[in-house]
Structures are given as C-alpha cells and as structure tokens.
Amino acid sequence: MQSHPARDLVVGLFVLAGISALAYLSTQLGGLSFDGQGGFTLRATFDEIGGLSARSPVVISGVPVGQVVAINLDEDLRAAVELDLEPGLELPVDTSASIRTSGLLGDQFIALEPGGEDELLEAGDILSFTESALNFEKLIGSFVHDAGLGGSE
Amino acid sequence: MIRSGIERLGGRTIGAIAELGRFARFGGWIVGGFLRPPFRPERIVREAYDSGVLSLAIVCASGLAVGLVLSLQLYNVLVRFGAEESLGAVIGLTLIRELGPVLTGLLVTGRAGSAMAAEIGMMVATEQIDGMRTMAVDPMKFVVVPKAVALTLSMPLLSALFIVAAIFGGYLVGVQLLGLGSGIYFSSLENAVVFRTDVVGSALKALLFGALVALIATFRGFTTGRSTAEVSASTTATVVTGSVCILLADYIFTALWGF
C-alpha cells in the first residue's frame, strides 16, 4: 500500500480539530481545570441553600472570585458548602456569605461581604456569618398566612 | 388461505430473528478482527478520510445552522420570563446532551454510512470480495474492520465539532444579533455544563452511535445480494435502520446514563 502524504495530513488535521473541540468542551465548558489548585478553600454553613449547586460562582462586590466545589450535609443537618477561591485573597475573619439570585429566576450564587476586622481568614476556615437563600414559596406562604388569607383558621 | 398467512408471518418472524443473529455474529467478527493482528493503521487512516474528513463540511454547516435557529427560538421564549441570561445554559446542555451526538449520528449515517454500505455492496455485487478470498486476503480484515473502526472513532470528533459550531452559531444570534452580553452567554454556558456527566456522556454517546452506524452499514453492505438493485436496497436499509437505531439507542443511553 503506497502512502499518501497529503491525505494523511488532512486526516491528521481532522483528528487535531476534533480533539481540540473535545478539549474546548472539557476544559472551558466542563470546568475540568488543569491548574487545579485554585488555591484558597473556605467553608460556610447555611440553613437553606435553595438552588445553589456545585460550580455556582462566588463573588465579592459582583466580581467573580471563585466557585462552589462541594455541598454536603454536616452533622447538625445544615448545608456545608465548600468554596474554592482565588489564592491571595485577604478576607477579614468577620466576612459574611449570603446566597443571592441573579434576577428573579436566575442562577444562584454566593456573595461574600468583607467585614472590618484586622485578622484574616486562613485556608480551610469556616465562615460564621451566613445568610441563607431566600425561599420565595416560604415567603409567599408566610405572607398569605399573616394576611389571614390562608382560609379558615 | 388463513394457514398460508400464518405461515408467512411465522416465516418472517423467524427470518427477522435469524437476521438479528447474523448481525450479532457479524459484530463479533468485527471486534475479533479489530483485536487480532495484523493491525492496519494505514487502512484506518484512509477510511477516516472518507468517513471523517468528508463529513466535516456537512457536520459543521449543520451545527452552525442548528445553533443559529436554536438561539433565535429559545431567546424569544426565555425573554418572556426574563430568563434570557440562561440562553447559553439551555443551548449548551441541549447540544451537548442530545442534539450534538444525535444529529451528527443522523448526518453521518446519511453521508458516510450510506457510502460505506454502497461501496462494500458494490464489492460484493462485482465479486471483488470473492476475489479477495480466492487470493487468501481476509475481506473482513482488509475492508470491513478498517471502515468500521474509522467511522466509530470519527464520530466523537465530529460530534464535538458539531457542538462547537452550534455554540458559535448560538453566540452569533444571541450576542451579535439580539444583543445579549457575551459574558452572560458564555458564563451561563460554563456554569451549566459539568465535565463528568455532560461532556463525557456526550462523547460516549457519539462513540456508541458511531459503532452502531458502522456495524449496520458494513453488515448491510456485506450481506448485499449479487445485483446492482440489491446495492441500492442495502444503502437505503442502512440509512433507515441506522437512523431508527440511533434514536432508540439515544433514549436507552440517556435513561441508563442518567443525565
């Protein structure tokens, strides 16, 4: 079988293009990060996380600084959320974390609000000031109940 | 009259089951031929040109068109709920989980599968396969296995290119035409897609469809009768069976994989 350099080259280019497309899907979209370390891990516990999920963004003043890597139940049956943040962030120990929603129906994210203490958070620390997700159904339910619209009671 | 009808029904059922048995044995031969040396990488490269490179243009053009229309349709629905910032997520997940592998599979069935069945069918009809056997060349090893392997391996690559082309098409309409922020489009896309379930599942799905189409096309081609009319019949059968099998396999895979 004689070899066909031109055709082999075209097939090689095709394979290269296909693999780069797969690589784009995996690394850019799939969040399979090669730098891996991310760096700075913090934990926060919430009573209610609503629709928060792994890979939800973490922002400070609206600027993305990291993402949620894991959500588990802790021993008190509260949601323990693990945050992976940019290394080198200097956050005071009284930084608070709250779960917000972008728009009325948008995705949920965690907003960090730095406090005023001089002492800084270390990697692995637990954020003690947290504000849970706003649950619209609960809110509407309690409104209906308070207004006495909830039927016979 | 009634008896002959029942006989015919039974005969057809038995015939269909026997056909399935032949198909399964044929699949076993291909896998066996693939695993046994001598390996023929140069034959696989030649076939990858036919089934992969020649399908590239149609796959990218279709991907772009699908992305354009998907974006246009979804934007108009999402904007009613004020949820247009989820456009990227909806487009990305639809494409990666379903449309990418399925539509690429259907396109490849029509483009490469039919050509493959016709080529092998012609070789059978013009007795080239018999000629190979006479010269002690194993036609499975020399013709069928390289074609099947090349098509199977091309599918995940083609599907990934389809998805990237469609995401770009969605970007053109959503961002350039309808004025959604480019960062919003891509960040909702990136936040929604998960590597292990979505991207890996998508590639496996494409690989499965590729193997299905390759098996059906080579089987139909190889079992062609010895006339030119039979060649066109097996080409048609390849496209019909291949498309239906892809759609059925898609449901089964999605249910088992648990997207």
Side-chain angles (χ1 to χ4, degrees):
Chain A
M1 167 125 196
Q2 76 246 60
S3 92
H4 297 264
R7 199 189 54 213
D8 292 355
L9 184 71
V10 175
V11 173
L13 284 177
F14 160 67
V15 173
L16 212 61
I19 288 177
S20 20
L22 270 177
Y24 167 74
L25 293 180
S26 343
T27 57
Q28 292 301 119
L29 304 186
L32 180 78
S33 57
F34 282 116
D35 48 0
Q37 5 112 10
F40 183 42
T41 312
L42 289 178
R43 297 166 60 80
T45 47
F46 295 92
D47 289 325
E48 167 67 57
I49 55 165
L52 197 74
S53 63
R55 290 175 57 71
S56 291
V58 179
V59 305
I60 297 176
S61 312
V63 182
V65 293
Q67 63 180 19
V68 173
V69 283
I71 298 173
N72 297 299
L73 271 184
D74 68 3
E75 54 273 19
D76 304 327
L77 299 180
R78 298 175 81 220
V81 178
E82 202 172 307
L83 312 177
D84 189 29
L85 305 177
E86 278 174 17
L89 269 182
E90 297 190 342
L91 295 171
V93 283
D94 56 345
T95 297
S96 67
S98 48
I99 299 179
R100 304 264 177 79
T101 307
S102 55
L104 193 61
L105 297 165
D107 290 335
Q108 294 194 294
F109 60 93
I110 290 188
L112 296 180
E113 274 161 46
E117 295 273 341
D118 290 334
E119 226 177 308
L120 296 178
L121 281 169
E122 301 281 332
D125 279 355
I126 297 179
L127 294 170
S128 27
F129 302 103
T130 62
E131 187 188 320
S132 292
L134 207 56
N135 187 329
F136 279 105
E137 283 164 39
K138 249 186 195 168
L139 203 68
I140 293 168
S142 61
F143 170 74
V144 168
H145 189 265
D146 292 347
L149 303 171
S152 57
E153 205 178 326
Chain B
M1 182 64 195
I2 292 175
R3 200 176 145 205
S4 74
I6 295 174
E7 267 176 11
R8 235 182 298 133
L9 183 69
R12 274 197 198 155
T13 312
I14 292 171
I17 295 173
E19 180 91 347
L20 192 67
R22 279 196 293 277
F23 180 68
R25 278 181 62 203
F26 186 82
W29 280 335
I30 290 189
V31 174
F34 173 59
L35 296 176
R36 233 182 10 251
F39 303 109
R40 296 191 173 276
E42 78 284 351
R43 295 278 313 160
I44 295 179
V45 170
R46 185 190 135 26
E47 299 301 342
Y49 181 80
D50 282 356
S51 55
V53 177
L54 294 183
S55 309
L56 200 57
I58 180 181
V59 162
C60 288
S62 313
L64 191 70
V66 166
L68 293 174
V69 75
L70 206 58
S71 186
L72 193 61
Q73 289 278 11
L74 286 172
Y75 184 86
N76 288 330
V77 176
L78 289 174
V79 83
R80 285 195 219 166
F81 303 104
E84 66 270 22
E85 62 264 28
S86 310
L87 183 70
V90 183
I91 288 184
L93 289 181
T94 320
L95 283 166
I96 290 176
R97 291 179 178 180
E98 286 298 332
L99 292 184
V102 171
L103 291 183
T104 311
L106 296 179
L107 288 169
V108 168
T109 309
R111 170 69 191 72
S114 61
M116 194 177 279
E119 192 184 338
I120 299 177
M122 273 316 280
M123 293 173 92
V124 172
T126 56
E127 298 175 354
Q128 293 178 49
I129 298 282
D130 292 337
M132 283 182 192
R133 287 210 182 94
T134 315
M135 293 186 292
V137 173
D138 181 3
M140 288 299 281
K141 195 76 198 158
F142 193 71
V143 177
V144 173
V145 171
K147 281 186 194 298
V149 171
L151 182 64
T152 307
L153 295 182
S154 298
M155 259 299 288
L157 303 178
L158 289 170
S159 162
L161 286 165
F162 181 97
I163 294 167
V164 171
I167 287 174
F168 178 67
Y171 165 83
L172 285 184
V173 168
V175 177
Q176 302 294 339
L177 189 68
L178 298 172
L180 192 72
S182 150
I184 293 173
Y185 179 75
F186 282 108
S187 72
S188 93
L189 189 58
E190 284 163 23
N191 286 327
V193 179
V194 177
F195 174 73
R196 204 185 56 77
T197 53
D198 296 333
V199 181
V200 174
S202 171
L204 285 180
K205 218 180 213 186
L207 203 63
L208 171 75
F209 295 165
L212 258 181
V213 174
L215 268 181
I216 290 168
T218 48
F219 177 70
R220 288 293 178 196
F222 211 70
T223 52
T224 304
R226 316 216 151 197
S227 74
T228 39
E230 294 269 352
V231 175
S232 86
S234 38
T235 311
T236 312
T238 299
V239 175
V240 174
T241 336
S243 309
V244 173
C245 283
I246 283 179
L247 295 171
L248 287 177
D250 181 46
Y251 177 78
I252 296 169
F253 183 90
T254 306
L256 291 180
W257 184 258
F259 273 122

